[in-house]
Amino acid sequence: SQQGEEDPQALSIQEGENATMNCSYKTSINNLQWYRQNSGRGLVHLILIRSNEREKHSGRLRVTLDTSKKSSSLLITASRAADTASYFCAPRKNTGFQKLVFGTGTRLLVSP
Amino acid sequence: DAMVIQNPRYQVTQFGKPVTLSCSQTLNHNVMYWYQQKSSQAPKLLFHYYDKDFNNEADTPDNFQSRRPNTSFCFLDIRSPGLGDAAMYLCATSRETGPGYEQYFGPGTRLTVT
């Protein structure tokens, strides 16, 4: 198993602004997943990007992956108060069972 | 629409009094997981079931046990809760254990130990 490290630890923005958070990891991966946790909906899978993909979109989310730098970024455009949550990345290796190992996450606060 | 259901959402137990948390799923997934999340920390895997095969994490205390009587249900038993076991307990499922499968989480049960 391997753990991603999210950065920054905390981010505070106004509604309508974009939020960018980053994830770094240490070994080769099959894919990288992003999860969000807030008090209302609990822990939810947001998006999965495979190692052969460089960018992926889902609604207001844009994820990039740079396997040469072992890093990923999650961009939330036109943020809303409902985006207030902790965001975790989960790098997944190529084979076998692997548990999700969460880092400390990025705590995003979107103010109205 | 609920896919992973946890009951109760809040549980209060006394120090040393056994407690059971329950999880059910409507996804018919093979794998069920239990995580512990303490305040301001990331969720930490306690154990998982692949079908009926139980897999314990090496650092999960013996105080924690689990049962999976069928595909849909999984229980977390805490035999003698201590104050340090107060946490949010999250149940999750996935279709398979491979890297390409996402996990679906329940809303969690917040356990208070008095």
Side-chain angles (χ1 to χ4, degrees):
Chain A
S1 62
Q2 63 174 316
Q3 177 177 323
E5 294 294 336
E6 299 88 354
D7 175 70
Q9 288 190 345
L11 183 59
S12 184
I13 60 174
Q14 301 288 319
E15 265 192 328
E17 293 180 340
N18 295 342
T20 300
M21 52 206 83
N22 304 296
C23 170
S24 59
Y25 57 92
K26 293 187 177 163
T27 63
S28 62
I29 60 171
N30 174 283
N31 68 77
L32 187 141
Q33 301 177 19
W34 284 91
Y35 287 80
R36 177 184 67 204
Q37 186 175 35
N38 61 27
S39 58
R41 294 194 59 193
L43 195 57
V44 175
H45 178 268
L46 292 177
I47 196 166
L48 179 155
I49 186 165
R50 301 189 190 285
S51 61
N52 61 354
E53 298 176 307
R54 290 296 167 259
E55 187 171 312
K56 196 164 183 179
H57 296 254
S58 177
R60 294 183 296 110
L61 305 180
R62 181 172 79 99
V63 171
T64 62
L65 179 65
D66 187 336
T67 54
S68 67
K69 295 182 179 178
K70 294 186 170 55
S71 67
S72 174
S73 68
L74 172 65
L75 168 68
I76 304 172
T77 60
S79 62
R80 306 167 182 167
D83 295 326
T84 294
S86 290
Y87 291 81
F88 300 94
C89 68
R92 312 304 302 280
K93 290 194 295 186
N94 280 319
T95 59
F97 170 74
Q98 51 200 275
K99 57 187 180 183
L100 279 182
V101 181
F102 294 103
T104 53
T106 292
R107 291 185 301 281
L108 174 65
L109 173 63
V110 182
S111 301
Chain B
D1 283 326
M3 297 185 289
V4 183
I5 304 158
Q6 291 188 244
N7 285 307
R9 295 291 306 275
Y10 300 91
Q11 176 74 55
V12 180
T13 191
Q14 293 178 332
F15 183 95
K17 185 175 180 181
V19 65
T20 295
L21 310 182
S22 72
C23 176
S24 63
Q25 55 141 336
T26 59
L27 297 163
N28 203 33
H29 281 173
N30 289 314
V31 195
M32 295 187 77
Y33 309 81
W34 279 104
Y35 291 83
Q36 179 192 62
Q37 185 176 25
K38 295 188 176 180
S39 182
S40 301
Q41 296 183 19
K44 179 175 176 293
L45 183 65
L46 295 172
F47 25 60
H48 77 278
Y49 273 94
Y50 185 95
D51 195 12
K52 291 188 179 298
D53 292 333
F54 177 70
N55 298 272
N56 199 26
E57 291 298 303
D59 56 355
T60 298
D62 293 340
N63 199 24
F64 291 86
Q65 305 285 322
S66 185
R67 296 170 284 134
R68 189 180 184 185
N70 54 51
T71 300
S72 300
F73 285 87
C74 194
F75 300 97
L76 170 62
D77 300 308
I78 308 177
R79 292 191 298 184
S80 182
L83 298 179
D85 296 327
M88 177 75 84
Y89 290 89
L90 299 169
C91 175
T93 74
S94 64
R95 185 173 301 281
E96 294 289 339
T97 57
Y101 293 92
E102 66 192 77
Q103 293 188 19
Y104 295 80
F105 285 81
T109 294
R110 184 169 297 282
L111 178 68
T112 300
V113 182
T114 60

